PDB file of all heavy atoms in Angstrom:
ATOM      1  N   ALA I   1       0.822  -1.218   0.000  1.00 86.00           N
ATOM      2  CA  ALA I   1       0.000   0.000   0.000  1.00 86.00           C
ATOM      3  C   ALA I   1       0.850   1.260   0.000  1.00 86.00           C
ATOM      4  O   ALA I   1       0.423   2.306  -0.505  1.00 86.00           O
ATOM      5  CB  ALA I   1      -0.930  -0.007   1.211  1.00 86.00           C
ATOM      6  N   VAL I   2       2.056   1.188   0.563  1.00 86.00           N
ATOM      7  CA  VAL I   2       2.927   2.361   0.621  1.00 86.00           C
ATOM      8  C   VAL I   2       3.828   2.447  -0.611  1.00 86.00           C
ATOM      9  O   VAL I   2       3.936   3.495  -1.265  1.00 86.00           O
ATOM     10  CB  VAL I   2       3.784   2.338   1.905  1.00 86.00           C
ATOM     11  CG1 VAL I   2       4.816   3.463   1.877  1.00 86.00           C
ATOM     12  CG2 VAL I   2       2.903   2.465   3.131  1.00 86.00           C
ATOM     13  N   CYS I   3       4.483   1.334  -0.940  1.00 85.00           N
ATOM     14  CA  CYS I   3       5.530   1.368  -1.973  1.00 85.00           C
ATOM     15  C   CYS I   3       4.984   1.460  -3.395  1.00 85.00           C
ATOM     16  O   CYS I   3       5.549   2.166  -4.235  1.00 85.00           O
ATOM     17  CB  CYS I   3       6.425   0.130  -1.841  1.00 85.00           C
ATOM     18  SG  CYS I   3       7.385   0.086  -0.321  1.00 85.00           S
ATOM     19  N   VAL I   4       3.900   0.747  -3.689  1.00 82.00           N
ATOM     20  CA  VAL I   4       3.402   0.718  -5.066  1.00 82.00           C
ATOM     21  C   VAL I   4       2.851   2.075  -5.510  1.00 82.00           C
ATOM     22  O   VAL I   4       3.233   2.587  -6.578  1.00 82.00           O
ATOM     23  CB  VAL I   4       2.346  -0.395  -5.236  1.00 82.00           C
ATOM     24  CG1 VAL I   4       1.738  -0.351  -6.638  1.00 82.00           C
ATOM     25  CG2 VAL I   4       2.985  -1.758  -4.988  1.00 82.00           C
ATOM     26  N   PRO I   5       1.955   2.728  -4.730  1.00 86.00           N
ATOM     27  CA  PRO I   5       1.520   4.069  -5.156  1.00 86.00           C
ATOM     28  C   PRO I   5       2.668   5.063  -5.268  1.00 86.00           C
ATOM     29  O   PRO I   5       2.667   5.915  -6.165  1.00 86.00           O
ATOM     30  CB  PRO I   5       0.534   4.481  -4.045  1.00 86.00           C
ATOM     31  CG  PRO I   5       0.073   3.207  -3.438  1.00 86.00           C
ATOM     32  CD  PRO I   5       1.242   2.281  -3.507  1.00 86.00           C
ATOM     33  N   LEU I   6       3.656   4.950  -4.368  1.00 86.00           N
ATOM     34  CA  LEU I   6       4.800   5.855  -4.431  1.00 86.00           C
ATOM     35  C   LEU I   6       5.592   5.628  -5.712  1.00 86.00           C
ATOM     36  O   LEU I   6       6.002   6.590  -6.383  1.00 86.00           O
ATOM     37  CB  LEU I   6       5.699   5.636  -3.205  1.00 86.00           C
ATOM     38  CG  LEU I   6       6.954   6.522  -3.119  1.00 86.00           C
ATOM     39  CD1 LEU I   6       6.562   7.997  -3.074  1.00 86.00           C
ATOM     40  CD2 LEU I   6       7.793   6.148  -1.907  1.00 86.00           C
ATOM     41  N   ALA I   7       5.808   4.361  -6.070  1.00 79.00           N
ATOM     42  CA  ALA I   7       6.552   4.049  -7.296  1.00 79.00           C
ATOM     43  C   ALA I   7       5.800   4.542  -8.528  1.00 79.00           C
ATOM     44  O   ALA I   7       6.399   5.070  -9.464  1.00 79.00           O
ATOM     45  CB  ALA I   7       6.806   2.547  -7.385  1.00 79.00           C
ATOM     46  N   ARG I   8       4.491   4.374  -8.526  1.00 75.00           N
ATOM     47  CA  ARG I   8       3.711   4.838  -9.673  1.00 75.00           C
ATOM     48  C   ARG I   8       3.704   6.357  -9.757  1.00 75.00           C
ATOM     49  O   ARG I   8       3.722   6.927 -10.856  1.00 75.00           O
ATOM     50  CB  ARG I   8       2.276   4.309  -9.579  1.00 75.00           C
ATOM     51  CG  ARG I   8       2.173   2.799  -9.777  1.00 75.00           C
ATOM     52  CD  ARG I   8       0.725   2.339  -9.731  1.00 75.00           C
ATOM     53  NE  ARG I   8       0.003   2.805 -10.894  1.00 75.00           N
ATOM     54  CZ  ARG I   8      -0.090   2.137 -12.046  1.00 75.00           C
ATOM     55  NH1 ARG I   8       0.507   0.976 -12.174  1.00 75.00           N
ATOM     56  NH2 ARG I   8      -0.775   2.624 -13.056  1.00 75.00           N
ATOM     57  N   ARG I   9       3.692   7.008  -8.610  1.00 79.00           N
ATOM     58  CA  ARG I   9       3.730   8.469  -8.615  1.00 79.00           C
ATOM     59  C   ARG I   9       5.053   8.983  -9.159  1.00 79.00           C
ATOM     60  O   ARG I   9       5.120  10.034  -9.817  1.00 79.00           O
ATOM     61  CB  ARG I   9       3.508   9.004  -7.196  1.00 79.00           C
ATOM     62  CG  ARG I   9       3.357  10.518  -7.132  1.00 79.00           C
ATOM     63  CD  ARG I   9       2.913  10.977  -5.765  1.00 79.00           C
ATOM     64  NE  ARG I   9       2.693  12.408  -5.719  1.00 79.00           N
ATOM     65  CZ  ARG I   9       1.576  13.009  -6.104  1.00 79.00           C
ATOM     66  NH1 ARG I   9       0.570  12.290  -6.570  1.00 79.00           N
ATOM     67  NH2 ARG I   9       1.448  14.322  -6.035  1.00 79.00           N
ATOM     68  N   LEU I  10       6.132   8.227  -8.888  1.00 75.00           N
ATOM     69  CA  LEU I  10       7.461   8.577  -9.407  1.00 75.00           C
ATOM     70  C   LEU I  10       7.671   8.066 -10.827  1.00 75.00           C
ATOM     71  O   LEU I  10       8.772   8.154 -11.364  1.00 75.00           O
ATOM     72  CB  LEU I  10       8.545   8.010  -8.483  1.00 75.00           C
ATOM     73  CG  LEU I  10       8.578   8.572  -7.055  1.00 75.00           C
ATOM     74  CD1 LEU I  10       9.606   7.817  -6.218  1.00 75.00           C
ATOM     75  CD2 LEU I  10       8.902  10.063  -7.078  1.00 75.00           C
ATOM     76  N   ARG I  11       6.618   7.460 -11.409  1.00 65.00           N
ATOM     77  CA  ARG I  11       6.643   6.928 -12.782  1.00 65.00           C
ATOM     78  C   ARG I  11       7.670   5.810 -12.935  1.00 65.00           C
ATOM     79  O   ARG I  11       8.314   5.667 -13.985  1.00 65.00           O
ATOM     80  CB  ARG I  11       6.923   8.042 -13.793  1.00 65.00           C
ATOM     81  CG  ARG I  11       5.837   9.110 -13.807  1.00 65.00           C
ATOM     82  CD  ARG I  11       6.066  10.135 -14.905  1.00 65.00           C
ATOM     83  NE  ARG I  11       4.994  11.115 -14.931  1.00 65.00           N
ATOM     84  CZ  ARG I  11       4.932  12.129 -15.792  1.00 65.00           C
ATOM     85  NH1 ARG I  11       5.891  12.280 -16.707  1.00 65.00           N
ATOM     86  NH2 ARG I  11       3.935  12.984 -15.756  1.00 65.00           N
ATOM     87  N   LEU I  12       7.812   4.998 -11.891  1.00 64.00           N
ATOM     88  CA  LEU I  12       8.722   3.854 -11.933  1.00 64.00           C
ATOM     89  C   LEU I  12       7.982   2.556 -12.240  1.00 64.00           C
ATOM     90  O   LEU I  12       8.613   1.535 -12.466  1.00 64.00           O
ATOM     91  CB  LEU I  12       9.464   3.721 -10.595  1.00 64.00           C
ATOM     92  CG  LEU I  12      10.348   4.901 -10.193  1.00 64.00           C
ATOM     93  CD1 LEU I  12      10.936   4.677  -8.811  1.00 64.00           C
ATOM     94  CD2 LEU I  12      11.457   5.114 -11.221  1.00 64.00           C
ATOM     95  N   GLY I  13       6.662   2.579 -12.226  1.00 64.00           N
ATOM     96  CA  GLY I  13       5.874   1.385 -12.485  1.00 64.00           C
ATOM     97  C   GLY I  13       5.596   0.603 -11.215  1.00 64.00           C
ATOM     98  O   GLY I  13       6.335   0.674 -10.230  1.00 64.00           O
ATOM     99  N   SER I  14       4.519  -0.165 -11.230  1.00 73.00           N
ATOM    100  CA  SER I  14       4.113  -0.909 -10.036  1.00 73.00           C
ATOM    101  C   SER I  14       5.058  -2.060  -9.720  1.00 73.00           C
ATOM    102  O   SER I  14       5.201  -2.446  -8.554  1.00 73.00           O
ATOM    103  CB  SER I  14       2.687  -1.438 -10.218  1.00 73.00           C
ATOM    104  OG  SER I  14       2.614  -2.304 -11.324  1.00 73.00           O
ATOM    105  N   ILE I  15       5.718  -2.624 -10.734  1.00 71.00           N
ATOM    106  CA  ILE I  15       6.595  -3.774 -10.497  1.00 71.00           C
ATOM    107  C   ILE I  15       7.741  -3.396  -9.566  1.00 71.00           C
ATOM    108  O   ILE I  15       8.039  -4.106  -8.589  1.00 71.00           O
ATOM    109  CB  ILE I  15       7.142  -4.324 -11.832  1.00 71.00           C
ATOM    110  CG1 ILE I  15       5.994  -4.853 -12.686  1.00 71.00           C
ATOM    111  CG2 ILE I  15       8.148  -5.445 -11.567  1.00 71.00           C
ATOM    112  CD1 ILE I  15       6.424  -5.343 -14.039  1.00 71.00           C
ATOM    113  N   LEU I  16       8.392  -2.278  -9.838  1.00 74.00           N
ATOM    114  CA  LEU I  16       9.481  -1.834  -8.960  1.00 74.00           C
ATOM    115  C   LEU I  16       8.960  -1.533  -7.558  1.00 74.00           C
ATOM    116  O   LEU I  16       9.669  -1.739  -6.566  1.00 74.00           O
ATOM    117  CB  LEU I  16      10.168  -0.602  -9.545  1.00 74.00           C
ATOM    118  CG  LEU I  16      11.244  -0.859 -10.599  1.00 74.00           C
ATOM    119  CD1 LEU I  16      11.841   0.449 -11.071  1.00 74.00           C
ATOM    120  CD2 LEU I  16      12.333  -1.774 -10.069  1.00 74.00           C
ATOM    121  N   GLY I  17       7.721  -1.060  -7.461  1.00 81.00           N
ATOM    122  CA  GLY I  17       7.127  -0.820  -6.155  1.00 81.00           C
ATOM    123  C   GLY I  17       6.985  -2.104  -5.363  1.00 81.00           C
ATOM    124  O   GLY I  17       7.315  -2.162  -4.169  1.00 81.00           O
ATOM    125  N   TYR I  18       6.510  -3.163  -6.024  1.00 82.00           N
ATOM    126  CA  TYR I  18       6.382  -4.453  -5.346  1.00 82.00           C
ATOM    127  C   TYR I  18       7.754  -5.014  -4.965  1.00 82.00           C
ATOM    128  O   TYR I  18       7.919  -5.592  -3.878  1.00 82.00           O
ATOM    129  CB  TYR I  18       5.652  -5.449  -6.245  1.00 82.00           C
ATOM    130  CG  TYR I  18       4.156  -5.251  -6.310  1.00 82.00           C
ATOM    131  CD1 TYR I  18       3.525  -4.943  -7.513  1.00 82.00           C
ATOM    132  CD2 TYR I  18       3.373  -5.389  -5.170  1.00 82.00           C
ATOM    133  CE1 TYR I  18       2.147  -4.779  -7.569  1.00 82.00           C
ATOM    134  CE2 TYR I  18       1.999  -5.223  -5.221  1.00 82.00           C
ATOM    135  CZ  TYR I  18       1.389  -4.916  -6.435  1.00 82.00           C
ATOM    136  OH  TYR I  18       0.030  -4.742  -6.471  1.00 82.00           O
ATOM    137  N   LEU I  19       8.735  -4.880  -5.863  1.00 79.00           N
ATOM    138  CA  LEU I  19      10.082  -5.372  -5.564  1.00 79.00           C
ATOM    139  C   LEU I  19      10.659  -4.655  -4.340  1.00 79.00           C
ATOM    140  O   LEU I  19      11.248  -5.286  -3.451  1.00 79.00           O
ATOM    141  CB  LEU I  19      10.999  -5.168  -6.773  1.00 79.00           C
ATOM    142  CG  LEU I  19      10.721  -6.041  -8.003  1.00 79.00           C
ATOM    143  CD1 LEU I  19      11.585  -5.588  -9.171  1.00 79.00           C
ATOM    144  CD2 LEU I  19      10.970  -7.500  -7.704  1.00 79.00           C
ATOM    145  N   ALA I  20      10.490  -3.340  -4.294  1.00 83.00           N
ATOM    146  CA  ALA I  20      10.992  -2.566  -3.162  1.00 83.00           C
ATOM    147  C   ALA I  20      10.269  -2.955  -1.878  1.00 83.00           C
ATOM    148  O   ALA I  20      10.900  -3.087  -0.808  1.00 83.00           O
ATOM    149  CB  ALA I  20      10.825  -1.075  -3.429  1.00 83.00           C
ATOM    150  N   ALA I  21       8.952  -3.171  -1.976  1.00 86.00           N
ATOM    151  CA  ALA I  21       8.187  -3.575  -0.793  1.00 86.00           C
ATOM    152  C   ALA I  21       8.688  -4.904  -0.252  1.00 86.00           C
ATOM    153  O   ALA I  21       8.865  -5.075   0.966  1.00 86.00           O
ATOM    154  CB  ALA I  21       6.699  -3.666  -1.145  1.00 86.00           C
ATOM    155  N   GLY I  22       8.940  -5.864  -1.140  1.00 84.00           N
ATOM    156  CA  GLY I  22       9.459  -7.158  -0.709  1.00 84.00           C
ATOM    157  C   GLY I  22      10.826  -7.055  -0.072  1.00 84.00           C
ATOM    158  O   GLY I  22      11.109  -7.699   0.949  1.00 84.00           O
ATOM    159  N   ALA I  23      11.688  -6.233  -0.654  1.00 83.00           N
ATOM    160  CA  ALA I  23      13.037  -6.070  -0.100  1.00 83.00           C
ATOM    161  C   ALA I  23      12.994  -5.431   1.285  1.00 83.00           C
ATOM    162  O   ALA I  23      13.778  -5.787   2.175  1.00 83.00           O
ATOM    163  CB  ALA I  23      13.886  -5.230  -1.053  1.00 83.00           C
ATOM    164  N   ILE I  24      12.070  -4.503   1.493  1.00 85.00           N
ATOM    165  CA  ILE I  24      12.000  -3.792   2.779  1.00 85.00           C
ATOM    166  C   ILE I  24      11.547  -4.709   3.907  1.00 85.00           C
ATOM    167  O   ILE I  24      12.108  -4.699   5.004  1.00 85.00           O
ATOM    168  CB  ILE I  24      11.054  -2.577   2.651  1.00 85.00           C
ATOM    169  CG1 ILE I  24      11.702  -1.503   1.762  1.00 85.00           C
ATOM    170  CG2 ILE I  24      10.730  -1.985   4.023  1.00 85.00           C
ATOM    171  CD1 ILE I  24      10.772  -0.365   1.405  1.00 85.00           C
ATOM    172  N   ILE I  25      10.536  -5.545   3.658  1.00 83.00           N
ATOM    173  CA  ILE I  25      10.005  -6.377   4.740  1.00 83.00           C
ATOM    174  C   ILE I  25      10.625  -7.765   4.778  1.00 83.00           C
ATOM    175  O   ILE I  25      10.314  -8.557   5.670  1.00 83.00           O
ATOM    176  CB  ILE I  25       8.471  -6.514   4.620  1.00 83.00           C
ATOM    177  CG1 ILE I  25       8.093  -7.265   3.337  1.00 83.00           C
ATOM    178  CG2 ILE I  25       7.812  -5.154   4.678  1.00 83.00           C
ATOM    179  CD1 ILE I  25       6.610  -7.538   3.212  1.00 83.00           C
ATOM    180  N   GLY I  26      11.488  -8.077   3.798  1.00 79.00           N
ATOM    181  CA  GLY I  26      12.077  -9.402   3.708  1.00 79.00           C
ATOM    182  C   GLY I  26      13.190  -9.652   4.705  1.00 79.00           C
ATOM    183  O   GLY I  26      13.493  -8.809   5.565  1.00 79.00           O
ATOM    184  N   PRO I  27      13.853 -10.827   4.576  1.00 79.00           N
ATOM    185  CA  PRO I  27      14.897 -11.216   5.529  1.00 79.00           C
ATOM    186  C   PRO I  27      16.048 -10.228   5.613  1.00 79.00           C
ATOM    187  O   PRO I  27      16.679 -10.097   6.670  1.00 79.00           O
ATOM    188  CB  PRO I  27      15.371 -12.571   4.987  1.00 79.00           C
ATOM    189  CG  PRO I  27      14.240 -13.074   4.163  1.00 79.00           C
ATOM    190  CD  PRO I  27      13.591 -11.867   3.572  1.00 79.00           C
ATOM    191  N   TRP I  28      16.358  -9.534   4.516  1.00 76.00           N
ATOM    192  CA  TRP I  28      17.496  -8.612   4.511  1.00 76.00           C
ATOM    193  C   TRP I  28      17.064  -7.169   4.740  1.00 76.00           C
ATOM    194  O   TRP I  28      17.884  -6.270   4.715  1.00 76.00           O
ATOM    195  CB  TRP I  28      18.262  -8.735   3.201  1.00 76.00           C
ATOM    196  CG  TRP I  28      18.872 -10.093   3.048  1.00 76.00           C
ATOM    197  CD1 TRP I  28      18.365 -11.147   2.364  1.00 76.00           C
ATOM    198  CD2 TRP I  28      20.084 -10.542   3.645  1.00 76.00           C
ATOM    199  NE1 TRP I  28      19.176 -12.243   2.474  1.00 76.00           N
ATOM    200  CE2 TRP I  28      20.258 -11.889   3.260  1.00 76.00           C
ATOM    201  CE3 TRP I  28      21.050  -9.952   4.466  1.00 76.00           C
ATOM    202  CZ2 TRP I  28      21.353 -12.648   3.662  1.00 76.00           C
ATOM    203  CZ3 TRP I  28      22.138 -10.704   4.860  1.00 76.00           C
ATOM    204  CH2 TRP I  28      22.281 -12.034   4.468  1.00 76.00           C
ATOM    205  N   GLY I  29      15.755  -6.967   4.964  1.00 76.00           N
ATOM    206  CA  GLY I  29      15.264  -5.640   5.292  1.00 76.00           C
ATOM    207  C   GLY I  29      14.889  -5.572   6.756  1.00 76.00           C
ATOM    208  O   GLY I  29      15.721  -5.768   7.641  1.00 76.00           O
ATOM    209  N   LEU I  30      13.611  -5.331   7.010  1.00 80.00           N
ATOM    210  CA  LEU I  30      13.138  -5.254   8.392  1.00 80.00           C
ATOM    211  C   LEU I  30      12.953  -6.627   9.031  1.00 80.00           C
ATOM    212  O   LEU I  30      12.746  -6.722  10.246  1.00 80.00           O
ATOM    213  CB  LEU I  30      11.808  -4.487   8.434  1.00 80.00           C
ATOM    214  CG  LEU I  30      11.855  -3.029   7.928  1.00 80.00           C
ATOM    215  CD1 LEU I  30      10.462  -2.420   7.944  1.00 80.00           C
ATOM    216  CD2 LEU I  30      12.820  -2.203   8.776  1.00 80.00           C
TER     217      LEU I  30
END
């Protein structure tokens, strides 16, 4: 909910938003 709208607003596309979201909450993130 946080990363995907932000990525789309920055015109990076939803895919990069999902990738960033996974990296943030994953084993190597939080």
Side-chain angles (χ1 to χ4, degrees):
V2 173
C3 294
V4 175
L6 180 60
R8 291 182 69 89
R9 187 170 183 83
L10 296 174
R11 297 185 178 180
L12 299 176
S14 61
I15 296 177
L16 277 181
Y18 283 118
L19 291 172
I24 290 171
I25 65 175
W28 296 97
L30 299 177

